[in-house]
Amino acid sequence: MRQVSGEDCEIIGASRTDSGAHADYQVCHFDTNWKADPVQIPRILNNMLPQDIGIQKAKFVPDSFHSRFSAVDRTYRYRIRQSPRNPNISRFTHDYWKKLDLKAMQEASKCLVGVHDFRAFSEEVEPEANAIREIFEINVRGAGREIWIDIRGNAFMRGMMRRISGGLFEVGRGRRPGSDIAGLLDLERRETIHWPVVLPAKGLCLKNIRYGRHPRDFRSRYQQTDLTGEIPHLENK
């Protein structure tokens, strides 16, 4: 931004992504005195950005808008491909050479919907850290040779999506009973946790972010309902 606007601008994204993960949809905002026409901003920035990043649209927003805290929800997809490696596809999927038990994965995923303590599905965090998040919807389905795990939630902790997918992957392999997923949602954490495996970042993709018709800052709502501790650590993803 400094190269085109002459200003040091902080770019604030709606949701972070791990190195190696992907995003079909991302939103960010920045404060600037730059007088460029928003219609021209994508063309200007795309001329300077690497080929794997593309700005699709830009517009002015009210000062009250915050790309991260005004979001109603976010949707991620994790792709597991049940097939030998394909160089044209495998950079976007986790390859597994055997067939997984899709029905077992679907059944095990149902308990994840709702407000839960997702500590066991995040990176290992301090005991006092708040791990309460809300999952609105989860859909585990077959798509040709792939299994897609789609999850829509209010916010995601660092590593949460990849570890949820890893837990369901273990269920599909027969390495973890489906009932164990519900047991990992206990609010009172055990001293020892059989942590689900973390699947590689390359199979993860941020698919959508929703703001509603009249976006507003949801930080106060999070504090009131205790859905986040301080500021939600969105999926570093």
Side-chain angles (χ1 to χ4, degrees):
M1 284 298 304
R2 185 174 186 179
Q3 296 180 54
V4 296
S5 70
E7 301 174 330
D8 288 322
C9 297
E10 181 182 8
I11 308 298
I12 300 175
S15 195
R16 300 187 296 268
T17 54
D18 284 339
S19 175
H22 311 280
D24 285 342
Y25 191 94
Q26 176 65 286
V27 177
C28 66
H29 80 269
F30 58 90
D31 298 323
T32 181
N33 293 315
W34 187 26
K35 302 301 183 182
D37 181 352
V39 175
Q40 300 299 321
I41 289 178
R43 178 185 60 80
I44 295 171
L45 295 183
N46 285 335
N47 284 336
M48 309 186 72
L49 289 170
Q51 292 298 309
D52 57 353
I53 301 176
I55 309 298
Q56 305 299 311
K57 182 180 180 180
K59 66 178 182 179
F60 291 117
V61 293
D63 290 340
S64 59
F65 177 84
H66 194 287
S67 59
R68 183 178 180 187
F69 297 120
S70 296
V72 174
D73 57 40
R74 301 156 177 83
T75 299
Y76 285 94
R77 171 175 293 166
Y78 198 91
R79 296 169 58 185
I80 301 172
R81 190 167 185 268
Q82 305 168 106
S83 178
R85 183 174 61 191
N86 181 324
N88 294 320
I89 301 174
S90 293
R91 61 178 297 217
F92 302 106
T93 65
H94 174 55
D95 294 335
Y96 184 66
W97 60 94
K98 295 181 180 179
K99 189 173 180 61
L100 299 172
D101 187 339
L102 176 60
K103 289 186 178 180
M105 296 172 68
Q106 292 170 331
E107 189 64 29
S109 72
K110 294 178 181 178
C111 66
L112 297 168
V113 176
V115 179
H116 301 290
D117 185 315
F118 284 97
R119 186 179 312 272
F121 294 98
S122 69
E123 290 188 1
E124 298 187 29
V125 296
E126 296 298 323
E128 65 275 11
N130 191 313
I132 303 297
R133 299 292 186 272
E134 182 172 10
I135 297 298
F136 301 120
E137 181 181 13
I138 181 167
N139 184 18
V140 183
R141 61 191 174 98
R145 294 184 176 182
E146 297 182 13
I147 289 179
W148 290 355
I149 302 172
D150 293 335
I151 301 182
R152 181 170 63 88
N154 68 329
F156 292 77
M157 290 185 295
R158 193 173 285 113
M160 179 173 157
M161 182 68 194
R162 291 164 59 194
R163 204 181 283 273
I164 287 178
S165 300
L168 296 177
F169 175 68
E170 290 175 319
V171 171
R173 292 181 64 191
R175 296 293 182 89
R176 180 186 291 267
S179 59
D180 193 45
I181 300 299
L184 291 170
L185 296 171
D186 293 341
L187 293 180
E188 294 185 5
R189 300 269 32 100
R190 299 186 295 271
E191 291 184 4
T192 59
I193 299 175
H194 180 198
W195 296 86
V197 66
V198 180
L199 293 184
K202 65 174 185 171
L204 181 65
C205 185
L206 175 61
K207 300 297 290 185
N208 194 29
I209 303 168
R210 297 195 310 155
Y211 290 94
R213 182 171 296 180
H214 303 291
R216 59 190 180 89
D217 193 316
F218 284 111
R219 269 175 289 190
S220 61
R221 183 188 72 173
Y222 290 160
Q223 293 166 358
Q224 291 170 4
T225 58
D226 199 31
L227 290 179
T228 62
E230 186 176 347
I231 294 176
H233 289 294
L234 306 183
E235 180 78 53
N236 206 16
K237 315 165 183 193

